[in-house]
Amino acid sequence: MAVGKNKRLTKSKKGAKKKTADPMSRKEWYDVKAPSYFKQKTAGKTLVNRTAGTKIAADSLRGRVFEANLADLNNNESGHRKIRLVCEEVQGKNVLTNFHGMDLTTDKFRSLVKKWQTLIECHVDVKTTDGFVLRIFCVSFTNKRNNQIRKTSYAQTAQVRAIRKKMTEVITRESTCELKDLVGKFALESISKDIEKSCASIYPLHDTFLRKVKMLKKPKLDVGKLLELHGDSAVADAGAAVAPAKDFVEPAPLASV
């Protein structure tokens, strides 16, 4: 078929392909700062689109949740705990975070569940003195008594109820403090040890863990308290004041220009 006869062949394509820009060229890096009650101040880095027009980078970062291992934050070997941190404020290139939740790793929790023992769970809603409402989930397992010959260690239903009541009492008592002190107790696992001691008279327990902590409510953001919580990491590097030169003489004003 001749090209001149068919008009469709000579027409150019509508809407030529636009050049695709690299999406990473629009982004910039921010440092994620953990609260001062963790040993490691920098929890990692995060990406966000640069401020363009009415879309501000800081607004995109606020409310972003980060997950870090407790072993990395405290420089120790407790690698079975995951800590969730939420971005509350942005100062320069620093993302200031606060505690948002805690979880037990899946492999750790599955390694605890075994035969011939009773699994006991409970959950409690607690309120800290600074206004945070948390839901704490606890898990524990029955243990063999001293000189026990029997293979199984099953607790009766009444014993399970009594243990669950003790768990609730201990968690509620230990949670009447500020959030930063409560997070310290989570890291040291002092609440789990107290539960085992309190329940020893009912039935011996082992492998007691706070399986999960969820943030239900939080008070209105106080930037001053947040900066105090982060300490030195929140302060941006300020330049030194320029000292005036001794020999500088201000020139006389001109009569006319």
Side-chain angles (χ1 to χ4, degrees), residues 162-197:
I163 289 168
R164 202 175 281 128
K165 189 180 177 183
K166 279 280 185 189
M167 281 180 176
T168 308
E169 287 172 5
V170 171
I171 293 169
T172 307
R173 186 183 70 236
E174 292 293 322
S175 301
T176 53
C177 59
E178 289 191 357
L179 181 68
K180 60 180 181 181
D181 300 324
L182 188 57
V183 175
K185 290 178 183 179
F186 293 158
L188 295 171
E189 297 184 1
S190 59
I191 297 175
S192 304
K193 291 168 188 172
D194 286 350
I195 289 169
E196 286 184 4
K197 283 180 186 175

Side-chain angles (χ1 to χ4, degrees), residues 22 59 69-70 76 99 119 142 150 159 178 218 254:
D22 182 17
D59 293 340
N69 200 301
L70 184 62
N76 58 21
F99 179 80
L119 184 152
T142 54
R150 190 175 57 188
Q159 290 173 321
E178 289 191 357
K218 55 175 81 172
L254 298 171

Side-chain angles (χ1 to χ4, degrees), residues 113-164:
V113 181
K114 300 184 184 84
K115 293 193 290 185
W116 322 123
Q117 60 184 9
T118 304
L119 184 152
I120 303 164
E121 282 186 301
C122 83
H123 66 273
V124 195
D125 289 357
V126 298
K127 188 173 184 179
T128 60
T129 53
D130 47 356
F132 290 88
V133 180
L134 304 169
R135 181 168 290 159
I136 301 173
F137 296 81
C138 182
V139 64
S140 187
F141 300 88
T142 54
N143 195 12
K144 283 188 175 183
R145 297 180 189 273
N146 292 333
N147 306 319
Q148 181 176 323
I149 300 167
R150 190 175 57 188
K151 186 179 181 180
T152 59
S153 301
Y154 295 134
Q156 294 175 350
T157 311
Q159 290 173 321
V160 170
R161 278 201 297 267
I163 289 168
R164 202 175 281 128

Side-chain angles (χ1 to χ4, degrees), residues 60-79:
S60 302
L61 285 168
R62 285 189 192 96
R64 190 177 284 191
V65 178
F66 308 95
E67 196 171 84
N69 200 301
L70 184 62
D72 296 330
L73 291 174
N74 276 348
N75 296 326
N76 58 21
E77 297 299 318
S78 60

Side-chain angles (χ1 to χ4, degrees), residues 37-126:
Y37 44 75
F38 295 113
K39 290 179 183 175
Q40 193 69 30
K41 296 294 179 287
T42 305
K45 288 182 175 288
T46 188
L47 271 174
V48 70
N49 286 336
R50 283 194 190 91
T51 301
T54 55
K55 196 163 185 181
I56 302 165
D59 293 340
S60 302
L61 285 168
R62 285 189 192 96
R64 190 177 284 191
V65 178
F66 308 95
E67 196 171 84
N69 200 301
L70 184 62
D72 296 330
L73 291 174
N74 276 348
N75 296 326
N76 58 21
E77 297 299 318
S78 60
H80 58 271
R81 290 211 174 277
K82 295 181 290 183
I83 301 290
R84 287 159 67 84
L85 302 169
V86 63
C87 171
E88 298 277 18
E89 190 56 56
V90 180
Q91 295 271 326
K93 290 286 181 183
N94 293 337
V95 175
L96 307 184
T97 62
N98 203 355
F99 179 80
H100 191 62
M102 188 182 72
D103 208 348
L104 206 64
T105 56
T106 310
D107 60 324
K108 176 67 177 176
F109 183 59
R110 288 181 179 178
S111 69
L112 300 174
V113 181
K114 300 184 184 84
K115 293 193 290 185
W116 322 123
Q117 60 184 9
T118 304
L119 184 152
I120 303 164
E121 282 186 301
C122 83
H123 66 273
V124 195
D125 289 357
V126 298

